Amino acid sequence: MRALNYLYSSSNPRFRRIFNTLCALILFLFFFHQNPLLKNQSFVDGSTPRRHMIETYSGDTTALCSGLHQHIGYADQCDFLKSNPLCYPDSFFDYLSFFYCTCRHFKILGYIALGVWLVALFYLLGNTAADYFCPSLEKLSKLLRLPPTVAGVTLLPLGNGAPDVFASIAAFVGSDKGEVGLNSVLGGAVFVTCVVAGVVSLCVADKEVKIDKKCFIRDLCFFLFTLLALLVILTVGRVSVGVAVAFVSIYVLYAFLVAANEVLRKHSKRLKLDSFTPLLPIQGSVFSPSGVEEDVVPMYSPLLELDTEEGPPKLHDSLPQWMWATNVAIYSAKANVHDEERPPWGWTEDGGEVGSSLCSKVTSLLETPLTVPRRLTIPLIEEDSWSKTYAVASVSLAPLLLAFLWSSQGEASLLVAYFIGIATGSTLGFLAYRNTEHDRPPQRYLIPWVLGGFIMSIVWFYMIANELVALLVTFGGIYGINPSILGLTVLAWGNSMGDLVSNIALSMNGGDGVQIALSGCYAGPMFNTLVGLGMSMLLGAWSKSPETYMIPEDNSLFYTLGFLILGLLWALVMLPRNEMRPNKVMGIGLITLYLIFVTFRLSSAMGFIPWAA
C-alpha cells in the first residue's frame, strides 16, 4: 500500500511524468492509426452514424463478430474487421482495428499499448474526479449553503463514487453493454465489502476498536434491502421508468433518514432524547480515555463542520484530503501543491523549477494530450490554479466539445451543431474575458462557473468511461473472454483502488478513522448500486419509453448477488458477536469468501462448472 501511495503521490512527479509520457505516445499511435474525427462516417460522407447502424441492425452483433478468431473466408482478422464494421467497439478509437491491422505483425506492441492505455483510462477517470469534479462539488456545497448532513449524504458519496456511477451509465447507454455495467458495480461492491472490509478488520484486529452498532446495522439493512430490490428487477428482466425511479428513491429515503436523525440529534438535549446517536461517521474520539478528552474534538461533532457565516460546510482540518473523494488519495495531481503556481501540463518537483532541463521540457510537452484538453474545456475557479487564459478558453471551447458529441450521436447535423457551439462559445468567451481578472478568480456570477465545471466534468467522465468500457469489450474480443467477466474483475478492481488505499490508511490511524473506513465499505457500494445502476436503468428505460427496458440477460449476476449478500450477512453476524470489534476471524472470512467468489465465477466462465455457466 505504501508503494502504491508512493508511486501515485504528487511528491513523486518523476513516475507521473514517465507514465504520462508513455500514455501520450500511445495516444499518438491511436491518432496515427485513425483520426477519431473521421471514425464516424457521418463526418465525411453524411451516411448514418455507426450507433444508428447498430440500433437498426436486426441481427445480433455479438453473434456476427463471434467468428473473428476463426475468420473463415478471410485472410486474417484484419480483413474480417474491414468486412464487418459493426464489430468495432463504439468508441473514439477502433481498438480492434489497431490491434489486428496496425499491429498485425507486432502483436506484442498491441498488447503493451492497449494494456498501458487501460491503466491510463483508469487514471484519467480517477484524476478527473479528484482534480475537477470534487472541487466543483465543494464549491457547489458552499454556494448552495448546504447543511453538513445534506452534503454528507449527497455530495460526499457522489465525489467518491463518480467513476463507478459514470462507468455504469456509459456501459448501459454509451456502449450498449449493460451487463458490463451490472457486473462492474456489483463486482466492485463484492470487492469493497469483502476485501477492503476484510483488510480493514485485519489491520485493526489488535486495537480493540468498537464500531457504532446502530450506524452499522442501519447501513447493512438498507444495503440488503437494496440488493433484494435489485434481485426482483433482475428476475423480472425488464424495468420501466417508474420502477427505476422507485429504485433510486431508496437512496433518497436513506439520505432523508440520516438527515432527520441528525436534526433530532442536534435537538436531543433540548428535547431530552439523549438516546439518539449520530448516524453519520463522527469525528470525535468516542472511545478515547477520559484523561485526554480535552485534546480531541467533542464526541458528537459531525463529519462536516457546521455552517459558518460564509456558509460553506467544510471538512475538519484533521481529516485527510480524500474524504471528499477517495480518488484524491492516489489520483490527485494537486495533493501537495499549495500556493505555488503549477503549469497545467505537469507536476513540479518539491523545491525545484519546472523545465529545469531539456528532458523535463520534452516530457512536459508530451504530457499535454492527457492534461490540457480537460483544462481547456472544464472551467475551474480555484485560487491555486486560476488562469484567466484557461478560464476564457474553457468556456469558449466547452460548447464546441458538446457540439462535437451532439453531432456524433446523429441527433443534429454537423453544420447546425457547430454553428450553435461556436455562437455559444464566442458569447461565453467574450463575457468571461470582460468579467474576469488575471490575478484572482471571479467573485461574481459563481453559480454559472461552478455549474459549468460540474457539467463538463460529467461530460469527461462519460467520455472516459465509455472508452474504458469499449476497451474492456475489445480485450474480451481479443482474448475470447466474456466482457462481463472483465467488468466483474478489471473494471471493478480499478474503480475500487481508491477505496482500498484510503480506507486502509484511515483504519491505520485508529480511533474514528476505523468507523469512517468501515462505514465507507458499505455506504459507498450502496450508493453506487442505487445511484449508479438506478440512473443507468432510468436512462435506459427513458430511452425506450413508453416501452419497458430489457435488462441484459446474465444469469451469473444472481451468483454475484448471492455472494454479496453472504458477505453482508457474515459481517452482520460476526461484528455483534464480538461486541462490534472487528477481528481476524471476520477479516479472514470476508477475504476467503471473495477468493471463493472469484474462483467460482472464473471457473464457470471457462466452462469448468457447466451448470453455472
Side-chain angles (χ1 to χ4, degrees):
M1 193 270 288
R2 290 182 179 179
L4 187 66
N5 253 337
Y6 172 74
L7 288 177
Y8 284 95
S9 64
S10 298
S11 60
N12 187 23
R14 185 171 291 106
F15 173 80
R16 286 180 177 272
R17 187 170 289 121
I18 294 173
F19 174 75
N20 275 14
T21 301
L22 182 60
C23 294
L25 292 176
I26 293 173
L27 187 60
F28 290 143
L29 277 178
F30 290 150
F31 273 108
F32 176 78
H33 163 69
Q34 180 175 355
N35 189 333
L37 291 176
L38 301 180
K39 175 180 179 296
N40 192 323
Q41 297 296 323
S42 64
F43 286 109
V44 290
D45 58 11
S47 61
T48 305
R50 178 180 176 276
R51 184 184 302 272
H52 285 231
M53 291 171 60
I54 294 177
E55 291 175 353
T56 56
Y57 181 67
S58 59
D60 185 357
T61 58
T62 302
L64 174 68
C65 303
S66 61
L68 175 63
H69 288 279
Q70 288 76 23
H71 54 83
I72 299 175
Y74 301 93
D76 54 17
Q77 289 93 338
C78 183
D79 288 341
F80 180 90
L81 289 174
K82 290 178 180 178
S83 301
N84 298 277
L86 291 177
C87 295
Y88 290 126
D90 192 14
S91 57
F92 288 107
F93 299 110
D94 290 335
Y95 298 113
L96 278 175
S97 177
F98 170 81
F99 182 81
Y100 285 115
C101 297
T102 303
C103 302
R104 178 183 302 183
H105 304 296
F106 304 95
K107 291 294 180 64
I108 186 64
L109 175 63
Y111 286 119
I112 294 175
L114 294 181
V116 174
W117 187 239
L118 179 66
V119 177
L121 290 175
F122 275 118
Y123 168 76
L124 289 174
L125 200 62
N127 179 256
T128 302
D131 286 351
Y132 296 94
F133 189 62
C134 291
S136 297
L137 290 182
E138 288 185 280
K139 289 286 185 182
L140 197 60
S141 175
K142 175 179 179 179
L143 293 174
L144 298 179
R145 303 178 68 86
L146 294 180
T149 303
V150 177
V153 296
T154 55
L155 300 187
L156 282 173
L158 183 58
N160 179 30
D164 305 85
V165 170
F166 288 102
S168 174
I169 293 175
F172 270 83
V173 182
S175 300
D176 196 25
K177 288 289 182 180
E179 66 274 14
V180 176
L182 284 166
N183 278 278
S184 170
V185 173
L186 295 180
V190 179
F191 180 84
V192 173
T193 56
C194 289
V195 176
V196 179
V199 173
V200 169
S201 299
L202 293 177
C203 291
V204 301
D206 299 328
K207 296 185 179 181
E208 295 295 321
V209 178
K210 289 187 67 176
I211 303 300
D212 183 271
K213 187 174 183 179
K214 294 182 180 180
C215 176
F216 176 78
I217 294 179
R218 175 212 64 196
D219 287 344
L220 260 67
C221 288
F222 261 97
F223 202 1
L224 287 171
F225 179 75
T226 297
L227 297 179
L228 292 177
L230 181 60
L231 179 62
V232 172
I233 293 176
L234 293 178
T235 302
V236 173
R238 59 182 62 197
V239 62
S240 63
V241 173
V243 172
V245 170
F247 187 72
V248 176
S249 65
I250 296 176
Y251 190 82
V252 177
L253 176 62
Y254 169 79
F256 173 79
L257 290 180
V258 172
N261 186 86
E262 183 71 7
V263 172
L264 290 175
R265 183 194 62 78
K266 290 180 179 179
H267 298 282
S268 61
K269 184 175 295 186
R270 181 168 59 88
L271 300 176
K272 296 183 179 181
L273 298 175
D274 296 331
S275 59
F276 284 97
T277 57
L279 290 182
L280 284 177
I282 57 178
Q283 168 64 16
S285 181
V286 180
F287 305 102
S288 60
S290 58
V292 295
E293 284 183 355
E294 64 275 5
D295 296 328
V296 298
V297 183
M299 173 178 174
Y300 289 111
S301 61
L303 174 63
L304 293 171
E305 289 183 359
L306 296 177
D307 291 338
T308 61
E309 293 181 357
E310 290 76 20
K314 55 185 180 180
L315 294 171
H316 288 288
D317 295 334
S318 58
L319 285 177
Q321 182 180 0
W322 59 71
M323 282 308 301
W324 264 103
T326 56
N327 306 288
V328 178
I330 61 176
Y331 294 118
S332 178
K334 304 177 182 179
N336 292 332
V337 177
H338 299 290
D339 297 328
E340 296 179 348
E341 185 175 356
R342 179 177 57 82
W345 53 80
W347 293 266
T348 62
E349 297 280 358
D350 291 340
E353 296 183 359
V354 179
S356 58
S357 64
L358 178 62
C359 180
S360 63
K361 291 180 180 179
V362 173
T363 54
S364 295
L365 181 63
L366 291 175
E367 290 171 5
T368 55
L370 293 182
T371 54
V372 170
R374 288 177 295 163
R375 189 70 175 90
L376 286 175
T377 52
I378 303 179
L380 281 179
I381 54 174
E382 296 294 305
E383 289 283 351
D384 58 348
S385 60
W386 169 252
S387 169
K388 181 174 181 176
T389 302
Y390 281 103
V392 174
S394 63
V395 298
S396 302
L397 297 179
L400 289 178
L401 176 60
L402 295 177
F404 165 72
L405 296 175
W406 186 24
S407 63
S408 67
Q409 305 299 311
E411 301 293 341
S413 67
L414 184 66
L415 182 62
V416 172
Y418 276 96
F419 174 78
I420 295 176
I422 292 174
T424 305
S426 301
T427 303
L428 295 178
F430 175 76
L431 293 175
Y433 180 80
R434 291 294 303 270
N435 293 278
T436 55
E437 301 177 7
H438 289 280
D439 56 346
R440 63 173 184 172
Q443 307 299 312
R444 300 182 301 166
Y445 310 113
L446 296 182
I447 287 289
W449 282 99
V450 174
L451 287 179
F454 179 79
I455 293 173
M456 292 310 299
S457 297
I458 291 177
V459 170
W460 274 97
F461 268 136
Y462 180 81
M463 292 167 57
I464 297 170
N466 193 53
E467 289 296 302
L468 183 58
V469 173
L471 185 55
L472 287 177
V473 173
T474 300
F475 273 114
I478 293 174
Y479 291 105
I481 302 174
N482 190 331
S484 298
I485 296 297
L486 296 177
L488 180 74
T489 54
V490 178
L491 186 56
W493 294 339
N495 285 338
S496 301
M497 284 299 104
D499 299 88
L500 178 64
V501 173
S502 59
N503 286 351
I504 293 176
L506 278 171
S507 63
M508 294 301 291
N509 290 333
D512 291 329
V514 181
Q515 172 75 46
I516 297 173
L518 208 57
S519 296
C521 290
Y522 299 104
M526 179 173 62
F527 176 87
N528 297 338
T529 303
L530 286 171
V531 179
L533 292 182
M535 291 301 298
S536 300
M537 292 188 294
L538 178 60
L539 292 174
W542 189 275
S543 65
K544 301 295 183 180
S545 181
E547 300 179 1
T548 56
Y549 176 76
M550 299 298 296
I551 301 295
E553 185 177 355
D554 187 353
N555 292 331
S556 62
L557 290 172
F558 295 103
Y559 299 114
T560 303
L561 277 175
F563 277 97
L564 180 54
I565 293 174
L566 281 177
L568 297 180
L569 293 177
W570 175 263
L572 191 59
V573 171
M574 295 306 298
L575 262 183
R577 285 189 61 183
N578 199 43
E579 298 180 349
M580 302 308 296
R581 291 183 172 89
N583 57 7
K584 293 182 179 180
V585 175
M586 174 182 168
I588 294 175
L590 289 174
I591 296 174
T592 302
L593 181 65
Y594 185 79
L595 294 177
I596 296 174
F597 162 71
V598 173
T599 303
F600 174 80
R601 285 298 310 269
L602 293 179
S603 299
S604 61
M606 291 185 289
F608 296 138
I609 309 178
W611 57 269

